[in-house]
Amino acid sequence: MNPFLSDWTTAFNLPPFDQIKDSDFAPAFDAAFDQSRAAITAIAGDPAKPDFANTVEALERSDALMDKVAGVFFNLTGANSNPALEALQRDLSPKFAELHSETMMNADLFARVDTLFKQRTTLGLTDEQNRVLTLYHRMFLRAGAALRGDDRTRLSAVSKRLAILGTAFTQNLLADEREWFMLLGDDELDGLPDFLRDAAAEAAKERGEKGYAITLSRSLIVPFLQFSTRRDLREKAYVAWGARGENGGKTDNRSIVTETLALRQERARLLGYASFADFKLEPEMAKTPSAVRDLLMAVWQPAKAQADRDAAVLTGMMQDEGVNGDLEPWDWRHYAAKRRVAEHDLDEAELKPYFQLDRMIDAAFDCATRLFGVTFRPLDVPLYHSDARAWEVLKNGKHQAVFVGDYFARPSKRSGAWCSRFRGQSRLDGDVRPITVNVCNFAKAPEGQPSLLTFDDAHTLFHEFGHALHSMLSDVTYQMIEGTSVARDFVELPSQLFEHWLTVPEVLQKFATHSVTGKTIPTDLLGRLLAARNFDQGFSTVEYTASALVDLDFHAGPAPTDPMQRQAEILSGLGMPAAIHMRHATPHFAHVFSGDGYSSGYYSYMWSEVMDADAFEAFEEAGDPFDKDLAARLERHIYSAGGSREADALYTAFRGRLPGVEALLRGRGFTESA
Ligand SMILES: [Zn+2]
């Protein structure tokens, strides 16, 4: 019996993970493709005149089985993959592209949507229905539904090929990340604090090795680059980290990038846009490439000026230690960490015992309770991996959502941190509540010890939980606009905004407790931690903004024939500091090349930061980080509103106006240097 093909009788309709086998997916997907196709054929061929119910609502229902199967499958391929699932994923990607293109190119179906769209003011639709209809219509147009003849055929072939390239890019990256690790002997641990030795020992054990292993997981390699006093080993690790996707051989992503960029440009031209960036940015809050470039360049100059000043300081520190030559990218984090100790008397090893994973989860939950009145109850249910845990989320005593937290790095998980869902929220057919998951790559403590986070990790936890709240508080009728289904440059607002509550002193005073003594973080250490918040922002802004500018440039004009050459030209044109690299160099820039998601959209984090800085200032102005009225407005217009209105309308409804870039520059401490 295939569990996907029967009704689930589990608590909260959770996927029955203890019954799902890898071999269930292929037949379940076959059935789901059949059902989706049959539903589309029925809607398109409906003899009745098109109306909202028989066309748009029917479309909303057409992927019911697919949502059920894909919801589980794509969470597993990200968080707990294996060769069988990866092989199926490769098979599936062209099939998805084909179904999508078939649906979008169905002339009868588009005619129905188009008819409704033209009559929309006379149909007596609610605002939400009007919005959903408009989005469907736009989706069809942007997919090429209005194209005819050869253009139509070519667009379909291009889309199919792009999907295959995106999957190949991801899998190559995963292979490079999984394969590389650096074993360290007892004599190669110079400078490494206990938590890092423990995590490295755990990583070695997981790989069946003795001693200590540094892998390419951020939670190992970043602290290694900070603490290791062995410059030769830092260089070796850093070079491997930077070479992901660029190692030659079967997993090299460079030719995939070239082909992807050319095909994207062709796709945009077929649809009548000057460039792929023009096409991609049209539905976003930013709207145009020039608006994006203006924002990025307004931040670039003050950030680079700050980074140049910092590089001079770090070079001096290095030379004082008797190391000659230039400051290299594998030196920056190391000397920055030392400088942080010197200037802020703050080091990660002193801080780390105060950031216990479980206490930080409690902190995130508590902030959500105080802001939005949701509470959390641990659930004992089967999940897809023993490290994953689940909670029931309640609001006013009523079931609101199920939250799954999957926090630890492991070889079967891709790198990074993300929020996803097994099921979205909707009210079209009953009150369907979300099952939302946060996946992170924190280092797991040895058996019996509490897992400790860096302060950055704690930020990541709050960030992803902000996305989760956006998903779990969703209160709309149609899945099309539920939860995080909003403009790409708006989707990071709820997540980045939520990070602000981590740095509220009363939150840390309550939840930052020492893992051994149980004592609260001392006031003076907390003060130093918060004072150091803007530390090294020149570095992080430069590495981010350079990536965003390369992404924009790649897509805003003719496709480069040699993207690596073009990347070098862009960076040299910007005056990229020599000791800083792009946060994501092109061959491993998964945001941009794993799929279309963030292509010419990597700027979105900063665009959202403009808003999150401005939005949190509202709470500061109110003098209470948990101000009831503001929190209620925030929930109503942002966290529960999904994509029910245009992003600028949602933001204005909360704040009464649109934000400017000033709060962001203030937030990063660039005001003096600007
Ligand atoms: Zn995010």
Side-chain angles (χ1 to χ4, degrees):
M1 191 64 194
N2 191 315
F4 290 106
L5 303 180
S6 56
D7 285 336
W8 293 343
T9 52
T10 46
F12 313 110
N13 249 308
L14 280 163
F17 290 108
D18 51 348
Q19 292 166 38
I20 296 171
K21 300 184 298 296
D22 287 350
S23 58
D24 292 327
F25 285 107
F29 270 116
D30 285 344
F33 278 112
D34 287 349
Q35 283 197 17
S36 292
R37 281 204 167 83
I40 295 302
T41 307
I43 301 166
D46 191 340
K49 266 191 10 196
D51 60 31
F52 190 81
N54 72 20
T55 303
V56 176
E57 290 188 346
L59 278 169
E60 284 278 292
R61 292 187 178 102
S62 62
D63 282 332
L65 179 59
M66 187 64 86
D67 289 344
K68 199 169 159 181
V69 185
V72 177
F73 181 76
F74 289 105
N75 275 298
L76 293 191
T77 55
N80 200 28
S81 199
N82 63 47
L85 294 183
E86 278 162 28
L88 181 55
Q89 190 183 9
R90 274 191 300 274
D91 287 352
L92 286 171
S93 75
K95 291 185 185 169
F96 272 108
E98 202 176 322
L99 173 64
H100 180 73
S101 134
E102 239 175 72
T103 307
M104 291 296 111
M105 296 301 189
N106 186 314
D108 294 335
L109 183 60
F110 176 61
R112 293 176 77 88
V113 173
D114 195 41
T115 302
L116 290 174
F117 181 74
K118 285 175 177 140
Q119 300 169 348
R120 67 192 180 284
T121 53
T122 63
L123 298 173
L125 301 179
T126 64
D127 288 348
E128 192 182 326
Q129 289 171 330
N130 208 328
R131 170 84 177 151
V132 170
L133 171 58
T134 303
L135 291 177
Y136 267 105
H137 189 251
R138 189 170 80 186
M139 180 168 83
F140 275 95
L141 282 185
R142 290 172 60 78
L147 291 186
R148 296 285 168 264
D150 289 350
D151 285 354
R152 235 179 131 85
T153 319
R154 179 63 191 153
L155 186 74
S156 151
V158 165
S159 305
K160 224 181 277 182
R161 181 68 188 152
L162 280 170
I164 292 168
L165 291 171
T167 305
F169 185 96
T170 311
Q171 295 192 341
N172 288 343
L173 184 53
L174 190 60
D176 276 10
E177 285 173 350
R178 198 164 29 202
E179 245 152 61
W180 192 90
F181 59 91
M182 178 170 72
L183 276 181
L184 301 177
D186 288 327
D187 57 340
E188 293 171 314
L189 305 175
D190 316 38
L192 308 191
D194 287 346
F195 80 83
L196 186 51
R197 290 177 188 220
D198 291 346
E202 192 67 21
K205 207 169 84 189
E206 263 175 17
R207 283 161 182 77
E209 300 279 353
K210 287 202 172 52
Y212 305 85
I214 298 303
T215 72
L216 298 179
S217 162
R218 242 174 213 276
S219 65
L220 278 177
I221 194 159
V222 170
F224 181 77
L225 292 169
Q226 287 172 334
F227 289 111
S228 175
T229 51
R230 286 280 301 269
R231 195 179 190 216
D232 58 330
L233 297 177
R234 291 202 312 266
E235 177 175 359
K236 190 176 162 198
Y238 186 92
V239 167
W241 195 32
R244 287 169 296 150
E246 202 181 344
N247 285 313
K250 278 203 312 214
T251 58
D252 197 302
N253 273 330
R254 283 173 289 186
S255 63
I256 292 179
V257 166
T258 309
E259 190 182 352
T260 299
L261 291 172
L263 290 176
R264 284 178 179 165
Q265 194 61 18
E266 184 180 354
R267 181 172 157 206
R269 275 200 312 272
L270 284 167
L271 292 167
Y273 295 84
S275 73
F276 186 76
D278 283 283
F279 164 67
K280 269 308 289 285
L281 293 169
E282 183 192 44
E284 303 298 333
M285 195 170 166
K287 304 273 191 283
T288 64
S290 66
V292 173
R293 183 174 295 278
D294 286 351
L295 168 76
L296 293 174
M297 290 313 291
V299 178
W300 174 260
Q301 287 310 338
K304 177 177 144 44
Q306 183 64 48
D308 287 341
R309 282 192 295 272
D310 292 338
V313 174
L314 301 181
T315 303
M317 290 172 67
M318 187 174 89
Q319 286 167 354
D320 287 348
E321 285 188 3
V323 181
N324 292 317
D326 295 330
L327 184 77
E328 299 289 349
W330 46 90
D331 298 320
W332 190 292
R333 286 178 176 82
H334 181 67
Y335 289 99
K338 284 191 168 159
R339 183 185 178 192
R340 193 161 79 138
V341 175
E343 290 184 3
H344 296 280
D345 194 15
L346 201 64
D347 82 281
E348 207 59 76
E350 181 190 6
L351 272 175
K352 195 131 184 173
Y354 292 100
F355 289 92
Q356 303 178 58
L357 169 64
D358 286 1
R359 294 294 284 154
M360 288 300 112
I361 295 171
D362 289 344
F365 286 179
D366 189 61
C367 290
T369 304
R370 295 179 69 183
L371 288 165
F372 307 124
V374 283
T375 55
F376 300 83
R377 188 174 69 85
L379 288 176
D380 185 16
V381 289
L383 294 168
Y384 57 91
H385 191 279
S386 56
D387 281 345
R389 331 173 212 181
W391 291 264
E392 183 187 14
V393 185
L394 298 140
K395 189 168 164 72
N396 304 321
K398 256 187 68 191
H399 178 75
Q400 178 80 12
V402 171
F403 174 67
V404 177
D406 178 3
Y407 294 107
F408 299 125
R410 56 177 170 259
S412 63
K413 197 188 264 189
R414 72 175 165 83
S415 64
W418 62 95
C419 176
S420 173
R421 60 178 177 61
F422 289 96
R423 182 170 69 221
Q425 182 267 327
S426 68
R427 277 198 305 268
L428 180 58
D429 296 306
D431 191 9
V432 176
R433 299 306 316 170
I435 303 168
T436 303
V437 56
N438 276 176
V439 183
C440 301
N441 269 285
F442 302 145
K444 189 178 182 178
E447 195 68 38
Q449 288 179 38
S451 289
L452 302 177
L453 305 181
T454 63
F455 193 45
D456 277 352
D457 289 339
H459 267 282
T460 300
L461 188 149
F462 268 66
H463 178 100
E464 298 310 332
F465 195 65
H467 283 308
L469 287 169
H470 197 195
S471 164
M472 299 188 297
L473 292 169
S474 180
D475 183 23
V476 299
T477 302
Y478 298 99
Q479 196 172 317
M480 174 77 164
I481 53 163
E482 68 93 32
T484 56
S485 311
V486 296
R488 186 69 62 183
D489 53 5
F490 188 73
V491 77
E492 299 299 330
L493 168 62
S495 53
Q496 293 183 173
L497 177 56
F498 199 71
E499 288 181 55
H500 286 267
W501 277 281
L502 171 64
T503 58
V504 168
E506 62 176 279
V507 173
L508 289 174
Q509 277 154 6
K510 188 164 168 196
F511 293 99
T513 54
H514 196 280
S515 62
V516 177
T517 66
K519 289 210 174 96
T520 301
I521 189 167
T523 314
D524 116 276
L525 179 58
L526 177 59
R528 284 182 280 136
L529 173 67
L530 296 181
R533 245 183 309 180
N534 287 328
F535 184 75
D536 221 20
Q537 281 289 322
F539 171 85
S540 43
T541 310
V542 161
E543 64 161 10
Y544 166 85
T545 308
S547 293
L549 282 163
V550 166
D551 167 38
L552 182 69
D553 183 285
F554 273 0
H555 296 100
T561 46
D562 183 348
M564 295 308 287
Q565 168 71 25
R566 183 76 198 120
Q567 172 183 298
E569 287 163 13
I570 297 163
L571 296 177
S572 102
L574 284 168
M576 183 76 172
I580 306 180
H581 285 162
M582 292 164 71
R583 185 172 168 90
H584 307 285
T586 298
H588 53 258
F589 204 166
H591 288 80
V592 174
F593 295 105
S594 277
D596 254 4
Y598 278 85
S599 51
S600 62
Y602 192 60
Y603 77 94
S604 313
Y605 294 93
M606 189 161 278
W607 189 273
S608 291
E609 193 180 327
V610 167
M611 285 183 281
D612 78 59
D614 186 70
F616 194 72
E617 277 191 354
F619 286 89
E620 287 172 343
E621 287 159 16
D624 176 3
F626 296 98
D627 185 273
K628 284 256 166 312
D629 290 346
L630 270 176
R633 283 226 303 273
L634 187 63
E635 181 182 351
R636 173 151 175 245
H637 299 299
I638 310 276
Y639 281 89
S640 74
S644 55
R645 298 167 71 189
E646 285 285 319
D648 45 2
L650 292 173
Y651 191 83
T652 308
F654 164 64
R655 192 66 161 113
R657 57 166 174 75
L658 288 171
V661 74
E662 300 75 23
L664 175 140
L665 294 178
R666 259 199 304 280
R668 294 206 174 196
F670 296 155
T671 33
E672 299 101 276
S673 51

